[in-house]
Amino acid sequence: MSGRLWLKMGAAGGIMCIGGPALIYYVTPTEEELFKRYNPELQKRSLENRQKKQEDFDNFVGKLKEYSRSNKPIWEAAAEDEARTRATGVEEQRRITNEIQQRRDEIKRHSLNPN
């Protein structure tokens, strides 16, 4: 193989390795450009949901930081937290169901015995 062939291959490889990402960077629109292309209804909805999405993301990152503090892998810590949350949700649901049942019983007692 001649030196000329090596030079061509090196130049072609350099153009592809540097030029490809540069082309992608040049062609890809920014977030602001994409937002400007939305129709007004989508822009309004996006602005309304922006704060909520940011809060959700912050909560997600906070939980990841909390999970990473334990010695366990993140997925195990997340599974434990999910199980704990589910258990408290079930307990809360039982408590609400009991309260509703107590109210129903009280209403029945008062309707049967108006005094």
Side-chain angles (χ1 to χ4, degrees):
M1 296 178 100
S2 68
R4 185 175 175 185
L5 183 61
W6 280 102
L7 184 63
K8 280 195 222 176
M9 288 177 57
I15 289 172
M16 286 185 215
C17 290
I18 296 170
L23 178 66
I24 296 293
Y25 182 76
Y26 176 73
V27 172
T28 304
T30 63
E31 289 185 27
E32 293 83 27
E33 291 172 344
L34 285 175
F35 185 76
K36 288 177 185 176
R37 290 182 189 174
Y38 287 172
N39 66 26
E41 180 184 326
L42 283 177
Q43 285 181 356
K44 181 181 174 188
R45 198 170 0 158
S46 177
L47 287 174
E48 289 171 355
N49 294 336
R50 182 174 286 176
Q51 183 67 25
K52 184 177 182 330
K53 287 181 182 181
Q54 185 63 38
E55 289 173 3
D56 289 344
F57 179 75
D58 291 341
N59 290 338
F60 174 73
V61 170
K63 284 191 175 210
L64 280 181
K65 287 180 182 179
E66 179 184 326
Y67 298 155
S68 67
R69 287 187 195 125
S70 70
N71 293 333
K72 298 176 183 176
I74 290 177
W75 56 89
E76 288 181 10
E80 288 176 1
D81 186 46
E82 184 179 319
R84 188 176 29 240
T85 304
R86 193 177 310 126
T88 57
V90 168
E91 291 173 9
E92 180 69 18
Q93 187 65 32
R94 284 183 188 150
R95 186 186 62 77
I96 291 171
T97 304
N98 288 339
E99 286 179 6
I100 291 172
Q101 188 61 38
Q102 288 174 357
R103 288 179 189 161
R104 285 181 183 166
D105 293 342
E106 187 178 329
I107 291 171
K108 283 182 184 179
R109 273 187 268 129
H110 286 295
S111 66
L112 294 176
N113 204 3
N115 294 332

